[in-house]
């Protein structure tokens, strides 16, 4: 009798944990509207991590003649990007990465810095599972890093071997460009700007699990990670910007607001300390998540310009 009771308890617990794993996969990973972002006390903007600059950027995007660019990922997804050439560029190009649950054209304010202030060509891709790109899951930057290697290859084909490329990302986009930085990149990639990216997917989801549901990381993150491996092809433990920046050779500028409660400011210190390539950082006082540009536009533009001009000629 006791063995039957114990077995029943084990089955109930296993079933409950499995349900929880699928639930958190559906909330965080599966491609679907992310209503929880609107209720987050650390994200008071819509779309997320856009701030007041979203309107400025959207108006700028609407005035430009971006060219649609389609590409197939290594695993067969159709990826959509938007390319804007500049007569002043001479091969200099910025690839700008958007955030979680966003889309490429949310990034107009950042694209504008490179196009208008610096005279660069601009490419803004929709990440897999976002915008006009296909895919039914969010990769948090890990599978996207391989997509960005392909976008880099596209820019080199477009502009020739003299191309000079900067990667700039915000939030999940910041993590994406950090993860890309750890890959074997061609010498045309000259600099990376990572704005408020998380140190790893596991660390970020563990933080949000406690913050939103008051639940410990173990065993929920581990179960959701296993489900993500089965459905999306990666474990959370693999997806580490911290590990990738240790391998990076490209110079990286780290940007973070010291009032960020969504991706904790302490995460920037971890990735900054781990980075072994040439590096710099720009901390914006009182800036929340994704709001460093809005909080100090002049300082942001000045620092980004000064940093990339060290490495792009």
């Amino acid at each position: 009798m006791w063995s039957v009771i114990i077995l029943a308890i084990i089955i109930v617990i296993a079933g409950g944990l499995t349900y929880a794993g699928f639930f958190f996969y559906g909330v965080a990973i599966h491609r679907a509207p992310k209503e929880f972002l609107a209720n987050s006390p650390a994200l008071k903007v819509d779309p997320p991590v856009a701030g007041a600059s979203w309107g400025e950027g959207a108006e700028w995007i609407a005035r430009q003649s971006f060219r649609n660019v389609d590409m197939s990922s290594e695993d067969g997804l159709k990826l959509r990007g938007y390319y804007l050439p500049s007569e002043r560029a001479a091969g200099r190009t910025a690839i700008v990465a958007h955030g979680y649950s966003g889309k490429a054209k949310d990034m107009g304010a950042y694209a504008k810095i490179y196009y208008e202030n610096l005279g660069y060509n601009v490419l803004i891709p929709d990440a897999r599972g976002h915008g006009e790109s296909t895919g039914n899951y969010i990769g948090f930057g890990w599978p996207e890093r391989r997509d960005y290697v392909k976008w880099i290859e596209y820019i080199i084909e477009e502009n020739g071997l003299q191309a000079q490329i900067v990667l700039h990302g915000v939030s999940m986009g910041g993590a994406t460009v950090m993860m890309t930085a750890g890959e074997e990149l061609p010498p045309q990639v000259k600099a990376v700007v990572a704005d408020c990216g998380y140190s790893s997917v596991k660390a970020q989801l563990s933080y949000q699990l406690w913050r939103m549901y008051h639940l410990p990381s173990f065993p929920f993150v581990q179960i959701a990670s296993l489900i993500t491996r089965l459905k999306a092809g990666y474990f959370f433990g693999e997806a580490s910007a911290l590990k990738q920046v240790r391998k990076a050779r490209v110079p990286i500028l780290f940007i973070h607001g010291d009032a960020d409660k969504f991706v904790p400011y302490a995460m920037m210190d971890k990735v900054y300390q781990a980075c072994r390539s040439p590096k710099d950082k720009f901390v914006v006082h009182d800036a929340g998540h994704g709001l460093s540009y809005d909080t100090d536009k002049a300082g942001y533009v000045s620092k980004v310009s000064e940093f990339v001009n060290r490495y792009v000629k």
Side-chain angles (χ1 to χ4, degrees):
M1 176 64 71
W2 281 110
S3 61
V4 173
I5 293 173
I6 292 172
L7 179 60
I9 292 172
I10 292 173
I11 291 172
V12 170
I13 293 173
L17 291 174
T18 301
Y19 171 81
F22 277 100
F23 172 79
F24 291 124
Y25 176 88
V27 168
I29 312 298
H30 181 67
R31 181 175 190 166
K34 304 301 181 186
E35 290 88 354
F36 72 89
L37 293 174
N39 299 320
S40 170
L43 292 177
K44 299 184 182 300
V45 294
D46 184 28
V49 303
S53 64
W54 183 84
E56 168 197 335
E59 291 174 4
W60 182 82
I61 289 275
R63 296 195 303 269
Q64 310 309 316
S65 298
F66 279 87
R67 182 174 84 227
N68 291 352
V69 179
D70 291 325
M71 181 182 72
S72 294
S73 69
E74 291 179 346
D75 52 349
L77 295 178
K78 180 182 176 182
L79 304 177
R80 167 63 60 86
Y82 309 89
Y83 182 67
L84 182 66
S86 169
E87 294 180 354
R88 298 188 289 152
R92 298 174 301 163
T93 304
I95 306 177
V96 183
H98 67 78
Y100 179 81
S101 194
K103 60 185 184 300
K105 291 185 178 180
D106 292 341
M107 304 305 288
Y110 302 92
K112 180 182 175 184
I113 295 171
Y114 289 94
Y115 187 79
E116 294 200 352
N117 294 69
L118 297 173
Y120 282 31
N121 307 315
V122 174
L123 173 67
I124 47 174
D126 280 328
R128 56 174 60 207
H130 294 76
E132 297 298 318
S133 291
T134 62
N136 59 7
Y137 66 86
I138 296 171
F140 280 92
W142 189 243
E144 290 87 346
R145 81 196 193 285
R146 301 299 304 157
D147 300 338
Y148 269 72
V149 170
K150 296 202 71 172
W151 287 122
I152 290 165
E153 292 170 353
Y154 167 79
I155 291 298
I156 295 172
E157 290 175 7
E158 181 74 17
N159 293 293
L161 295 177
Q162 77 278 8
Q164 299 183 83
I165 299 169
V166 174
L167 307 180
H168 188 130
V170 181
S171 191
M172 188 184 82
T176 298
V177 298
M178 285 191 283
M179 292 176 186
T180 305
E183 299 299 297
E184 288 291 333
L185 298 179
Q188 287 81 4
V189 181
K190 300 299 184 182
V192 170
V193 180
D195 184 343
C196 64
Y198 37 81
S199 57
S200 72
V201 174
K202 183 178 179 181
Q204 178 64 12
L205 294 182
S206 297
Y207 171 76
Q208 293 299 338
L209 187 66
W210 178 256
R211 187 170 162 273
M212 293 173 61
Y213 300 100
H214 303 290
L215 291 173
S217 171
F218 182 83
F220 300 103
V221 168
Q222 286 73 15
I223 294 169
S225 178
L226 177 59
I227 292 168
T228 300
R229 178 65 180 85
L230 296 173
K231 296 175 76 68
Y234 69 97
F235 287 111
F236 295 158
E238 298 176 84
S240 173
L242 195 66
K243 293 177 182 177
Q244 289 292 96
V245 298
R246 287 194 181 107
K247 300 188 296 180
R249 298 178 181 178
V250 63
I252 304 177
L253 170 63
F254 299 91
I255 300 174
H256 221 105
D258 64 7
D260 192 338
K261 299 296 190 296
F262 194 78
V263 174
Y265 170 70
M267 286 192 179
M268 190 198 73
D269 282 334
K270 291 182 179 180
V271 291
Y272 182 81
Q273 293 301 326
C275 180
R276 297 172 182 173
S277 62
K279 60 188 176 182
D280 201 348
K281 61 183 174 181
F282 179 55
V283 179
V284 181
H285 184 56
D286 284 339
H289 185 62
L291 298 177
S292 290
Y293 173 76
D294 283 293
T295 303
D296 184 5
K297 289 185 181 182
Y300 194 104
V301 172
S302 175
K303 186 63 181 183
V304 168
S305 301
E306 181 269 328
F307 182 80
V308 301
N309 283 337
R310 292 183 212 170
Y311 306 102
V312 180
K313 306 303 179 186

